[in-house]
Amino acid sequence: MTWHALPAERVSAEFGVDPQVGLAQGSVAELRARYGENVLPEPPRKPLWFTFARQFKSPLIYILFVAAVLAVALGHYGDAAVILGVVLVNALVGAFQEGRAERSMEALRRLAALHVRVMRAGAEQVIEARELVPGDIVLLAAGDAVAADARLLAEAQLQMAEAALTGESAPVSKSVAVAPEAAGLGDRHCMVYSGTHVTAGRARAVAVATGASTEVGRIAKMTERAEEPKTPLEQRLDQFGRALVAAALGLFVLVMVLGLWRKLPLSEVLMVAISQMVSMVPEGLPVAMTIALAVGMQRMAERGAIIRRLSAVETLGSTTVICTDKTGTLTKNEMTAVALWLPGGREMTVSGIGYAPEGTISEEGRSAGGADTALRDLLLAASLCNDAELLPPEDERAAWTVLGDPTEGALLVLAHKGGLDLAQVRDAALRDAELPFDSDAKLMATRHRCDAAPRCVLVKGAPEAVLQLCAADGLAATHAAREAAEAMATKALRVLAFASVEDDPLDAQAGFEALAGRARLLGLVGEIDPPREEARLAVADCRAAGIRPVMVTGDHKLTGLAIARELGIARDGDRAIDGPELERMGEADLRDALPHIAVFARVHPAQKLRIVEAFQARGDVVAMTGDGVNDAPALARADVGVAMGITGTEVAKSAAKIVVTDDNFATIVGAVEQGRLVYGNLKKVILYLFATSVDEVLVLLLALLGGFPLPLAAVQILWINIVTEGTLTVNLVMDPPDGDEMRRRPVARDDRLLDRLMLARTALMASCAAAVAFGWFAWRLRHGVPLEVVRTEVFTLVAMSQWFNVLNCQSATVSAFGRRLLRNRWLLGGLVLSVALQALVLYAPAMNRWFHTVPLPLETLLVLVALASVVLWAEEARKLLRKTVRAPSPT
């Protein structure tokens, strides 16, 4: 149906819904049964067999297949069976982990579900977008995302961003008037569409299409979902893998040359050469990375940070600057009006905290209110020029709550304390026009008509903005008000000014400028939002971690600086600058001043973007928080955009990489810690895999160069590479925090996956393990021990060395002894499983045949354990030496 060509009343009648009341609950159930849930059609899930088959799409797996074919051609059927068995197990593990990661992502998507405001059964409700049905009355405000196609019923200065649907970059003005039936999508000014966003104004609309029936749903049917591009970490891992493959090919050639030079049987040399080539490639790394990121995202979600893009997990560890909002993030977002200032220099205090309307207004110790006309005018303006609702508790255990902006909610509580009946006041002074809050002008205006008075315009906003409209009050009065506002701000109060203009038409085209010079100042209200105690601790954690917190707030700079000093964001020598000051600064001046600017106050959205770019120009990795629709450019430009889950608009959440569900700064810092943990655990896995590969290569090369038989059979090498390593690498990424993540420096942008310290540790661990294994191999052969027995012993010795190596890789500085192993029950379980499987390959007759092993006596195993532990003692000695060298000298 062409809803845009029908009058608004006709559309409401089609669904049998009263625009002021909304659908009844019974009607909602019937409509949902008819139209289904409001969700876009998802691409069909890949069948299990497809996910399994995809695990074989890798050059590494191709190498194993080649090895199996060659083994069959050379008559090594047992080796071929083992190789194919290893490939099969690897594919099963990969498919399982991929499914697990997808389930984790699905759970996170549910956590990040879009919410909308609707009118049902006469009451405003917030519901999940998937519960929306045709006929629902939808309430829209600036920053909201539209979750269904809807016909406008009423609007006030509504503007929509429809670029996602029409390609039109500029916001589009909307109206309730009927559009021509033949109008194109971009010209249907009375419609709003799913997938678009409100950039300004407010509206009431009736949903006419949901899910696949929406315009964006029709497009979704014709397009396939594009895959997310690889993250920088994935790209670095690909480069690392390619380098290892090149090294593996070089090793293959070297082993073949040395083997043929030694006149060893071609079949044996070929199999070992291929196995060694595979040993250089960390087959378990892609699976380990997938699990590490999925586990990291899940841990962050449990702490209140929903990761919308995988790249944010790794970028968090590199963050050097966090630009954070103040209200609700660093503070409790429980605004309370505590101070008033009236023209003539009258000062009043307000008792009571929170949203419960319990307390009094007093002046010089005496209760104020009642017949105080000046106070009543201020309280009327505070309650009428206001879009919030104060909701009483539903039961005795519940608390008073605010529906809307907390700052406006505190004004309603103030009006209650002053003796006003809000319902009566609003019924007696109905709003008939408005200029919605403008973040650039920092003003809001409403016009009201009363039975006993002419129309009156009420203005609310930042003191400096309101005072510019109040020239009629005289210079002395405005100067006194400005001084009073600054005095309040120095006490960390958020200050709002109120003014009135008699009988003004409130022209939307002329805007706030039409009120200049005609407004009469009614007074100032000072509100406080106490700092969160956990934010103070989180700021200290940031400082210790080499991360600099910076406040970016819409409040007065004195208010912001006072809170910043209390929290430790501002230090001696730091200062605050406001929007006008920032506007006057050149790019070079701004970059030079950044190290000493702790607070950016009264900044508009375009300036937030400039702040982010200025920090990035200095080489910083920037996390930026935001909640408004106009914060989206800065959130998208920041290295890590962080949207607020409670107060954040849907536009901000869409632009951000992280959504913080509790709007708490401490949660952001906790996410940084988790990001560092994920990256650190991945580097542990890389160190472990690389040290293991080098160990095996050294043992083989030493044997070939020394004129000895091959110390390991091909299938034995594959067992170590995939079974021994596989039971440990996946579990190593589950390591809990070391506790010093937030005392380390941020991860550099150009950090290498194998840095100098890791290369040095690899050289130490691999050389020790290889020396012990080769030394035992040569010594046992010279004493006449059969080759099959010695190979079994070396095979077991190399596997045992990996058990000790994984303990080494848990930390570069902390000893492996003590309770460290017990912290990671996954790794402990992996070690137990690895030992059990090694026992199976030694003592099960069938495994003996397949893996060319023989049972070993207990006394031999004890000797091998002692020899394998050398790699642990060597690394413990390095850690001890490092501590000794770095320890402060005694005075």
Side-chain angles (χ1 to χ4, degrees), residues 510-637:
F512 296 104
E513 293 180 2
L515 305 176
R518 302 169 50 212
R520 177 175 66 88
L521 182 65
L522 298 177
L524 307 175
V525 176
E527 300 181 358
I528 190 168
D529 184 8
R532 295 178 184 261
E533 186 59 37
E534 60 270 28
R536 187 179 287 104
L537 299 175
V539 167
D541 287 341
C542 276
R543 295 286 190 187
I547 302 171
R548 184 180 168 216
V550 176
M551 183 187 293
V552 182
T553 179
D555 271 350
H556 192 281
K557 70 177 183 179
L558 294 178
T559 306
L561 190 58
I563 294 290
R565 292 195 185 282
E566 186 174 346
L567 291 174
I569 293 176
R571 293 177 165 181
D572 293 340
D574 288 345
R575 63 190 180 105
I577 66 170
D578 57 21
E581 291 176 277
L582 179 60
E583 201 68 38
R584 293 191 293 270
M585 298 177 73
E587 294 303 322
D589 294 334
L590 175 59
R591 286 198 295 270
D592 292 341
L594 280 178
H596 301 290
I597 299 176
V599 178
F600 291 92
R602 289 286 196 256
V603 292
H604 56 71
Q607 290 176 325
K608 286 188 176 183
L609 183 62
R610 185 184 173 197
I611 292 166
V612 170
E613 292 175 339
F615 274 115
Q616 289 174 330
R618 288 175 53 88
D620 285 302
V621 179
V622 183
M624 163 67 83
T625 71
D627 55 10
V629 59
N630 290 325
D631 290 333
L635 292 174
R637 182 67 180 86

Side-chain angles (χ1 to χ4, degrees), residues 301-320:
E302 290 170 359
R303 297 179 64 169
I306 298 172
I307 308 299
R308 299 188 65 252
R309 290 174 178 83
L310 278 178
S311 58
V313 178
E314 63 198 69
T315 310
L316 276 170
S318 304
T319 301
T320 58

Side-chain angles (χ1 to χ4, degrees), residues 769-798:
V772 168
F774 177 71
W776 178 261
F777 178 66
W779 182 76
R780 293 287 277 173
L781 282 180
R782 289 215 167 107
H783 281 75
V785 179
L787 179 60
E788 189 177 32
V789 174
V790 179
R791 275 185 175 168
T792 302
E793 292 172 350
V794 173
F795 168 50
T796 304
L797 182 56
V798 172

